[in-house]
Amino acid sequence: MPHLCQPVPLDKIRVPTTARTFALEVKGDGLEGLHLRAGDIVVCEHGAVPAPGDLIAALADDENRIGLLVCARGRLWLRQGRADTPVDDLVIQGVVRAVVRRVPAGG
């Protein structure tokens, strides 16, 4: 079966923004397991209550991090690639609401 595409009105893909919306650019290639690549822009909502399975932005050791919030061994963890960090060691900044990926010319 061929891969089909259906037209989508551009207003359908707009990301609603508020005073609590912020964006981060992905650096490095450690998040490819989460389908994020270097250069992707993640749009986050500060103050949203994250749930296990959500992609979140968090602050650890004065660095912004993006990862999957998982529940394992009775605790919440931030999963980034192969490494898990206990949520207790992080400041959750927001929940990822959208990812913007620019396609290079000719690519």
Side-chain angles (χ1 to χ4, degrees):
M1 177 177 212
H3 296 282
L4 302 176
C5 296
Q6 180 173 343
V8 175
L10 289 178
D11 62 339
K12 185 174 182 177
I13 60 172
R14 283 191 21 203
V15 177
T17 59
T18 69
R20 295 179 166 272
T21 306
F22 66 97
L24 299 169
E25 183 177 350
V26 175
K27 300 289 184 185
D29 59 2
L31 298 175
E32 289 183 351
L34 298 175
H35 307 287
L36 296 173
R37 298 180 188 165
D40 286 353
I41 306 294
V42 292
V43 180
C44 306
E45 181 184 358
H46 176 73
V49 177
D54 284 345
L55 277 176
I56 64 169
L59 189 64
D61 301 325
D62 294 324
E63 293 182 346
N64 293 302
R65 300 180 185 205
I66 299 294
L68 185 66
L69 185 65
V70 295
C71 184
R73 303 179 297 277
R75 294 180 69 185
L76 289 174
W77 302 79
L78 179 69
R79 178 163 293 155
Q80 295 181 286
R82 295 185 184 102
D84 290 348
T85 304
V87 170
D88 301 344
D89 298 340
L90 305 170
V91 175
I92 295 176
Q93 297 173 298
V95 176
V96 175
R97 296 297 188 204
V99 177
V100 178
R101 177 172 296 152
R102 293 198 171 111
V103 178

